[in-house]
Amino acid sequence: MQKILALIVLIIPIYLAGLGIKWMRDAVFGVLVPELHYIWLQFLLGAIFSVLGIAFVGGYILHMEKRNNRVPKKEK
C-alpha cells in the first residue's frame, strides 16, 4: 500500500513537469494555451512547473537513497 501511495505522490509532479515542458515548447513556437492570455505568462508558468516538478522528484529520490544508506557521507 505504501508503494502505491508513493507512486501516486510522484505521478503528480511528473505530470506537472511534463506539462511545463510542453507549455514552454508551445510558447517558443507561438502556440497559446486558451486559458492563459499571454505567451510570456505561459512560458513562465511552464518553467516554474518544470523546475518544481523535477526538484520534487529529485528530492524524493535523494531522500530514499539517504534512507537506504546509499549516499556517501560528506567529509569536512
Side-chain angles (χ1 to χ4, degrees):
M1 185 65 183
Q2 285 181 338
K3 292 189 184 236
I4 293 173
L5 184 63
L7 180 65
I8 291 171
V9 167
L10 282 177
I11 287 175
I12 295 168
I14 290 171
Y15 175 76
L16 286 178
L19 181 67
I21 291 170
K22 180 189 178 305
W23 280 3
M24 286 191 301
R25 184 195 66 208
D26 288 348
V28 167
F29 291 115
V31 178
L32 185 64
V33 174
E35 292 83 18
L36 302 173
H37 300 290
Y38 304 104
I39 292 282
W40 62 268
L41 179 63
Q42 178 177 328
F43 187 85
L44 182 67
L45 285 176
I48 290 171
F49 283 177
S50 297
V51 168
L52 290 179
I54 292 169
F56 184 86
V57 172
Y60 181 82
I61 292 171
L62 181 64
H63 173 73
M64 294 304 293
E65 293 296 315
K66 281 184 179 178
R67 198 168 125 199
N68 293 330
N69 293 325
R70 294 183 186 155
V71 177
K73 306 263 187 211
K74 290 185 179 180
E75 293 185 23
K76 292 184 179 180

